[in-house]
Amino acid sequence: MDLIAEGITEAFRLLLKGDREVLRIALLTLRVSGFATIISAAIGVPLGTVLAVWSHRGRRQVAGFVNAGMGLPPVVVGLWVSIFLWRTGPLGFLRLMYTPTAMVIAQTIIALPIVTGFTMAGVGQLDPGIRLQMLSLGASSWQLLCILIREARLSVLAAIMAGFGRVVAEVGASMMVGGNLLGQTRVLTTATSMEVSKGNFGLAIALSIILVAITYVINASLTRIQQQS
Amino acid sequence: MSRRSMSILAISLIIALSVGAVAFGASKELILATTTSTRDTGLLDVLLPVFQERTGYNVKTIAVGTGAALALGKKGEADVLLCHAPASEMELVESGDVINRQLVMHNDFVIVGSPEDPAGVKGVKSATEALRKIADKEAVFVSRADDSGTHKKEKEVWNKLGFEPSGKAWYLEAGTGMANTLNIANEKLAYCLTDRGTYLSMKDRLDLVVLVEGDAILLNIYHVMQVNPEKHKVVDGQGGKAFVEFMVSEEVQEIISKFGIDKYGSPLFFPDAGKSIEDLGG
């Protein structure tokens, strides 16, 4: 119990003191996972919507592929992104290994199937009448897409929250492609994992509390937007 | 606040936070692949800022086991290596994968265990003899098992004994870094072979005590070496050379000789630049 008390005290001390390193780690976590979520949403929401209403025969396969991707283990993504980004690898000339950009790439790959899959499920549950009605009113495909997303906005926001939740919580891919570099690619999950391995349990508890607090605040804000709409 | 302006606010906030995630770091960067012990003891935190100030190089430290560090060097994924597995390092020197290999410092490995010492190894002079007692007693032993320098050393001692512990129920293969392995040994009241530096840096949080030390086979020797730039276009030969020279410079050797005294009462590493392995008696 002492340990928990120590961790909580340490968390408050770090937050109140505005510890620069912890602040930087927390901000980088938000930036990397936030950016990855935005990219996933920009691609995944329209993609999921189109997949939900697409009547082509290949739809089943693509949908199955997306759903399987929702369970993609972060370490697997980390390994494959590393293979491509290593400076002797196919994309090595970009010099992205061990940078926040590499982490954004890996996290986007992790979040994209989740955002796409949940959007697809949400839009798929809409009354098919909406679509027929819009088409009979002469809506263009673009207008139809926007209307469907708006109608399914509760599911779409849930999809984005799920995507963000997954990437902000993952540690395997970030550790591998980021390298957990102090001041450069260290995020809350990799820092927590490292502090535990070093036996600094108090600091690890503090970092975990900060991570949970950030996740809570972000998801609470999104929920608020969701409930108001 | 209206719903729309609220969403706009939320979105712009996220975008603002995201900007910079894609920004690149400093122009000159050097990748150092090293063992977890140099990071976990905090030595690199002291040395790297000095190197950056002197040369402008932004050093990216990838702290892994020595096996992984050497593999990264061989692949050309690192510019410079700081490791402690002389026999494996020599293989890379001979294959021409690394050049300019120089002795930096040493400390020693020790066998730690719970104060109860069920196998009665306390004070045993020979590391091989100590492991034999542990194996006879089938006392729990935690191994790094991650192909690190420490793991290689441990295997060396088992080999000398002519005993293969892998697969035995009392022999736990952790597959993780030194600090984590010590935590596991601490929880399991087990024996463990560790570098003294990492042990000292965690001593306050551990119940484990040093039981066997001082055997010549337990010497832990660190070399710095640069990856051969002629083998891989991407390797920064100049930066690698600068780092090797930096590590054996008088200034750094002086820092190493004092590092840890304030916190642990004794230095964690002993500087050895310019000496040869034979001088150390290893």
Side-chain angles (χ1 to χ4, degrees):
Chain A
M1 285 315 280
D2 285 357
L3 195 59
I4 299 174
E6 183 194 330
I8 293 170
T9 325
E10 180 75 7
F12 276 102
R13 199 184 60 78
L14 289 172
L15 283 176
L16 293 178
K17 207 181 74 183
D19 185 272
R20 269 184 53 202
E21 203 44 54
V22 170
L23 203 67
R24 192 155 61 171
I25 292 173
L27 275 178
L28 185 71
T29 307
L30 269 179
R31 278 180 183 170
V32 169
S33 297
F35 208 59
T37 309
I38 290 171
I39 300 173
S40 313
I43 303 171
V45 170
L47 183 65
T49 311
V50 171
L51 282 176
V53 297
W54 196 29
S55 49
H56 189 270
R57 243 180 297 170
R59 195 193 91 90
R60 258 236 172 99
Q61 278 73 29
V62 180
F65 190 68
V66 168
N67 285 334
M70 290 170 76
L72 211 52
V75 281
V76 172
V77 175
L79 173 64
W80 283 90
V81 171
S82 300
I83 290 171
F84 278 87
L85 293 188
W86 263 327
R87 51 187 193 172
T88 52
L91 299 177
F93 63 93
L94 294 171
R95 287 288 194 282
L96 289 179
M97 196 61 183
Y98 309 128
T99 62
T101 314
M103 299 163 81
V104 171
I105 293 171
Q107 294 197 352
T108 303
I109 295 172
I110 294 167
L112 185 56
I114 294 174
V115 177
T116 311
F118 279 130
T119 305
M120 190 166 70
V123 174
Q125 283 193 327
L126 292 177
D127 179 359
I130 300 176
R131 194 168 134 241
L132 297 175
Q133 195 183 1
M134 287 304 135
L135 285 175
S136 68
L137 286 172
S140 68
S141 330
W142 175 251
Q143 284 169 320
L144 183 63
L145 180 74
C146 294
I147 288 162
L148 288 174
I149 292 175
R150 200 162 68 204
E151 287 302 313
R153 59 187 175 272
L154 290 182
S155 315
V156 168
L157 272 169
I160 295 172
M161 278 191 261
F164 178 78
R166 178 74 182 270
V167 292
V168 83
E170 78 74 36
V171 51
S174 295
M175 190 69 107
M176 243 185 267
V177 304
N180 189 32
L181 302 172
L182 180 68
Q184 295 176 46
T185 57
R186 188 164 294 173
V187 288
L188 285 164
T189 49
T190 60
T192 306
S193 167
M194 185 191 67
E195 296 304 343
V196 170
S197 82
K198 286 164 77 172
N200 295 331
F201 303 119
L203 182 54
I205 292 173
L207 289 168
S208 74
I209 291 172
I210 296 169
L211 178 59
V212 172
I214 287 178
T215 316
Y216 175 77
V217 169
I218 296 277
N219 278 335
S221 330
L222 286 173
T223 309
R224 205 163 151 202
I225 297 173
Q226 191 188 39
Q227 298 308 326
Q228 282 176 348
S229 53
Chain B
M1 210 189 310
S2 78
R3 197 171 80 206
R4 171 157 301 200
S5 55
M6 190 120 156
S7 337
I8 292 173
L9 186 75
I11 290 168
S12 41
L13 190 73
I14 296 175
I15 291 177
L17 288 168
S18 311
V19 172
V22 281
F24 288 85
S27 52
K28 286 205 296 181
E29 63 185 37
L30 195 70
I31 299 182
L32 164 68
T34 183
T35 85
T36 50
S37 53
T38 51
R39 178 194 66 192
D40 290 349
T41 52
L43 177 65
L44 289 176
D45 297 337
V46 177
L47 296 182
L48 294 184
V50 183
F51 181 70
Q52 181 158 12
E53 194 187 310
R54 295 282 185 285
T55 60
Y57 271 103
N58 171 18
V59 179
K60 298 196 159 182
T61 310
I62 311 303
V64 285
T66 285
L70 292 173
L72 285 174
K74 199 168 172 166
K75 257 178 88 14
E77 293 302 338
D79 301 296
V80 65
L81 315 174
L82 179 62
C83 309
H84 61 148
S88 309
E89 293 160 17
M90 281 313 291
E91 284 171 26
L92 292 200
V93 172
E94 273 150 29
S95 63
D97 285 301
V98 302
I99 53 172
N100 197 9
R101 174 171 172 270
Q102 303 211 32
L103 182 57
V104 177
M105 60 191 183
H106 77 272
N107 59 12
D108 60 349
F109 294 105
V110 293
I111 296 174
V112 298
S114 70
E116 286 81 33
D117 187 19
V121 301
K122 186 167 175 56
V124 172
K125 282 280 164 281
S126 146
T128 334
E129 180 60 21
L131 289 196
R132 195 186 58 75
K133 287 189 160 209
I134 291 168
D136 283 351
K137 198 80 187 168
E138 305 201 334
V140 183
F141 186 97
V142 186
S143 167
R144 285 280 291 272
D146 62 348
D147 203 28
S148 58
T150 310
H151 181 220
K152 284 169 194 279
K153 175 59 76 179
E154 185 208 311
K155 279 198 295 196
E156 187 187 330
V157 184
W158 286 115
N159 281 341
K160 200 175 156 203
L161 180 64
F163 183 84
E164 176 51 58
S166 192
K168 298 279 187 289
W170 50 268
Y171 185 74
L172 309 179
E173 303 188 49
T176 179
M178 192 68 254
N180 223 355
T181 306
L182 281 170
N183 283 330
I184 297 171
N186 199 50
E187 290 297 317
K188 303 236 171 221
L189 300 174
Y191 292 98
C192 182
L193 186 134
T194 170
D195 66 289
R196 193 187 291 267
T198 309
Y199 168 75
L200 284 178
S201 72
M202 294 179 66
K203 201 175 158 220
D204 294 348
R205 294 187 295 266
L206 299 172
D207 302 322
L208 303 170
V209 294
V210 174
L211 297 168
V212 179
E213 58 189 323
D215 189 346
I217 199 176
L218 293 180
L219 216 52
N220 181 19
I221 303 168
Y222 289 83
H223 284 83
V224 66
M225 64 216 81
Q226 59 181 114
V227 177
N228 191 347
E230 282 168 17
K231 285 243 174 175
H232 308 275
K233 268 205 322 281
V234 289
V235 169
D236 184 341
Q238 261 189 336
K241 186 161 181 284
F243 190 80
V244 170
E245 283 166 4
F246 172 75
M247 287 303 287
V248 298
S249 69
E250 247 175 65
E251 182 189 12
V252 167
Q253 294 281 306
E254 175 78 19
I255 297 177
I256 291 174
S257 71
K258 302 221 169 85
F259 179 73
I261 296 182
D262 51 347
K263 232 168 140 184
Y264 313 111
S266 65
L268 298 187
F269 300 97
F270 302 93
D272 290 321
K275 290 187 206 156
S276 71
I277 286 203
E278 289 71 35
D279 294 338
L280 299 178

